[in-house]
Amino acid sequence: MSGHWWAGIDWSWGLQDFVVIDRDGATVLHLRVEESHEGVTQILNALRGLNPTSHRFSRRQVPIAIEDGNRLLVAELRRHRQPVIVVPPAVTARYRGRHTAAVSKSDRTDAELLADIIRQNPGRRRPLPETSDRAQAIAVLARAQEFHADTARRATVRLRSHLGMYFPAAADAWSGMQHGLRRAEARAVIALAPTPRHAAALTKRKLYDALAAAGRTRLLDQEATRLRALFAEPQLRQQPQTEAAMGERTRHYLAELDAACLRAEQMAAQTDAAFSSHPHYAIYRSFPACGPLIAARLFAEIGDDPARFLTAKGLRAYAGTAPITWSSGRSHAVVHRSVCNRALKRAAHQWAFGTLTRSPGCRALYDARRERSDGYAAALRHVANRLLSGLHHCLRTDQSYDEAAMFRT
């Protein structure tokens, strides 16, 4: 960076305020542009005109600060290789009171404030990573899949809560199995019999056929017998008309759950197909418990810019698994990090949990931390810390996971 000028953009749904300040913090340029091709051209031309007499000056030496890095304006600026720095709105709010005693807000002053934040903190605010277009596409698919999976989980909670009000046998029929009511066979049986009256009338043959049609291939006869006996047991019942109405509501909740599960499955297939052609795919999948979805979610938040995380410590801090030490005088405390990439933190937690049954080294590390009085979550964060350090090393050196090298002791 040249260190002579800094720029800020306060975006809105209408005109965008674009401001350039000099090294003294004085505003040297202010424009109001649209979020369009013409607006981006105006910004780039304005940056070129800051020092037209110097052949050593380039507009790329002027960083631009903005609060939202997902805008089309940002995508177009990055396509022209203009450095863009994202400043969270919470940081902008904390800085707002430093300039004047009477805190005021306007689009222009916010743009000036954003530029001043990166002027006062050189090197502490890094431009957006140079993530490839393919990696960004994979991130979009992985985040969409996680959204639909979360929608399916919320729909499952609504369905289970509703079934508990009039049909508890169905609410608990698959409680001990993986995914519970989200299982295809569970949804098929409830769609066939949404009320206790319908369920009690089901024959073993109808249950067998419903399970087979839902894709179950093992122990069909035993499962049909179990469900038939469960639904035939006496249970508390609502009034007949109320029960029928609640059954119709169950069909509605079930349709929402079916749609969410279908979209999640489709997005999972699309995400894995897109990620499988990326050079980093084999490295991620070589780690224990790093299946297609966990690998894609980790990659979506980490990206493929080799210069983004120069050290494993930076990656661990970004993921929120590295602790923070508070030390002042005689007080000393080590607490977990709350300001981080929450999506990456969730993926790392799920990943660490899965390794406990698939990696002897991770299990030994987890047990050792538990013996040192760490709680469940704290011990898992230590496992995630080790995994992220290993992942960072493998990505930097283009190596696959090696259990013996990862846990030498």
Side-chain angles (χ1 to χ4, degrees):
M1 304 299 177
S2 68
H4 291 288
W5 294 280
W6 295 263
I9 296 178
D10 185 72
W11 70 270
S12 66
W13 294 108
L15 296 176
Q16 327 291 316
D17 279 75
F18 173 73
V19 168
V20 178
I21 64 174
D22 60 17
R23 62 179 59 187
D24 297 322
T27 300
V28 299
L29 177 66
H30 173 238
L31 296 175
R32 302 204 76 195
V33 300
E34 295 180 349
E35 191 173 25
S36 61
H37 179 73
E38 291 75 14
V40 173
T41 302
Q42 291 178 17
I43 290 175
L44 298 179
N45 290 336
L47 293 176
R48 293 190 189 97
L50 290 174
N51 192 0
T53 60
S54 173
H55 66 278
R56 301 179 63 182
F57 172 75
S58 170
R59 60 171 174 77
R60 296 173 187 166
Q61 297 172 343
V62 183
I64 300 177
I66 193 171
E67 289 183 325
D68 188 352
N70 297 317
R71 307 295 303 176
L72 279 172
L73 180 66
V74 174
E76 187 66 16
L77 288 171
R78 295 186 68 194
R79 194 173 68 84
H80 287 84
R81 300 181 63 187
Q82 185 68 34
V84 178
I85 298 176
V86 175
V87 179
V91 174
T92 308
R94 287 197 295 268
Y95 270 85
R96 188 170 285 120
R98 299 187 181 186
H99 288 238
T100 58
V103 179
S104 60
K105 184 184 186 305
S106 68
D107 292 345
R108 173 170 176 169
T109 56
D110 278 0
E112 293 172 347
L113 181 59
L114 287 167
D116 200 45
I117 290 173
I118 59 176
R119 179 186 71 89
Q120 295 182 44
N121 301 275
R124 298 188 61 128
R125 300 285 173 186
R126 297 180 59 188
L128 290 172
E130 296 296 329
T131 308
S132 67
D133 183 40
R134 186 199 300 184
Q136 293 183 38
I138 295 169
V140 170
L141 295 174
R143 290 165 184 162
Q145 194 283 330
E146 186 176 16
F147 170 80
H148 291 306
D150 188 58
T151 301
R153 283 190 290 269
R154 291 197 300 270
T156 304
V157 172
R158 286 195 297 270
L159 177 61
R160 182 186 296 114
S161 176
H162 178 63
L163 288 172
M165 296 172 64
Y166 81 107
F167 195 2
D172 299 332
W174 297 272
S175 59
M177 303 182 185
Q178 188 179 21
H179 302 309
L181 291 175
R182 279 187 291 157
R183 298 172 66 90
E185 61 193 75
R187 290 181 277 128
V189 171
I190 295 175
L192 186 64
T195 66
R197 180 176 62 84
H198 289 97
L202 287 177
T203 63
K204 181 180 175 181
R205 185 62 192 180
K206 287 184 177 180
L207 286 168
Y208 186 100
D209 293 342
L211 294 172
R216 185 180 179 113
T217 57
R218 298 178 65 252
L219 304 177
L220 281 168
D221 191 71
Q222 292 88 327
E223 181 66 7
T225 302
R226 182 185 74 86
L227 292 175
R228 178 72 186 89
L230 178 65
F231 294 150
E233 291 180 0
Q235 54 185 295
L236 300 178
R237 300 277 291 271
Q238 293 279 0
Q239 295 293 331
Q241 293 186 13
T242 303
E243 181 180 285
M246 297 183 84
E248 291 302 317
R249 190 174 181 181
T250 294
R251 293 184 190 275
H252 173 73
Y253 285 150
L254 198 59
E256 289 183 344
L257 179 57
D258 286 338
C261 290
L262 177 61
R263 286 193 292 265
E265 292 169 3
Q266 292 174 342
M267 292 305 302
Q270 294 179 19
T271 302
D272 187 50
F275 187 28
S276 61
S277 61
H278 194 281
H280 289 178
Y281 181 79
I283 297 176
Y284 278 85
R285 291 301 310 278
S286 67
F287 279 76
C290 198
L293 287 181
I294 292 296
R297 291 174 184 175
L298 291 169
F299 177 79
E301 307 306 326
I302 296 174
D304 59 358
D305 182 1
R308 185 176 187 181
F309 301 105
L310 298 180
T311 64
K313 182 179 179 180
L315 175 58
R316 296 196 303 266
Y318 183 66
T321 59
I324 296 179
T325 301
W326 295 93
S327 182
S328 178
R330 296 183 178 180
S331 63
H332 182 85
V334 179
V335 298
H336 78 275
R337 189 180 300 263
S338 58
V339 179
C340 59
N341 185 316
R342 297 299 179 88
L344 180 56
K345 188 174 185 178
R346 287 194 303 271
H349 180 90
Q350 295 172 4
W351 182 24
F353 177 77
T355 60
L356 299 184
T357 57
R358 294 172 176 84
S359 169
C362 291
R363 183 71 206 194
L365 175 59
Y366 175 82
D367 291 339
R369 298 305 308 188
R370 293 288 280 168
E371 290 175 1
R372 295 177 59 178
S373 302
D374 279 3
Y376 163 76
L380 272 188
R381 281 195 296 271
H382 279 281
V383 176
N385 250 342
R386 181 69 65 86
L387 290 169
L388 289 172
S389 296
L391 177 62
H392 180 272
H393 173 77
C394 291
L395 291 174
R396 298 281 288 182
T397 59
D398 195 22
Q399 298 181 29
S400 296
Y401 174 81
D402 184 351
E403 180 86 12
M406 184 84 166
F407 300 95
R408 294 185 183 278
T409 58

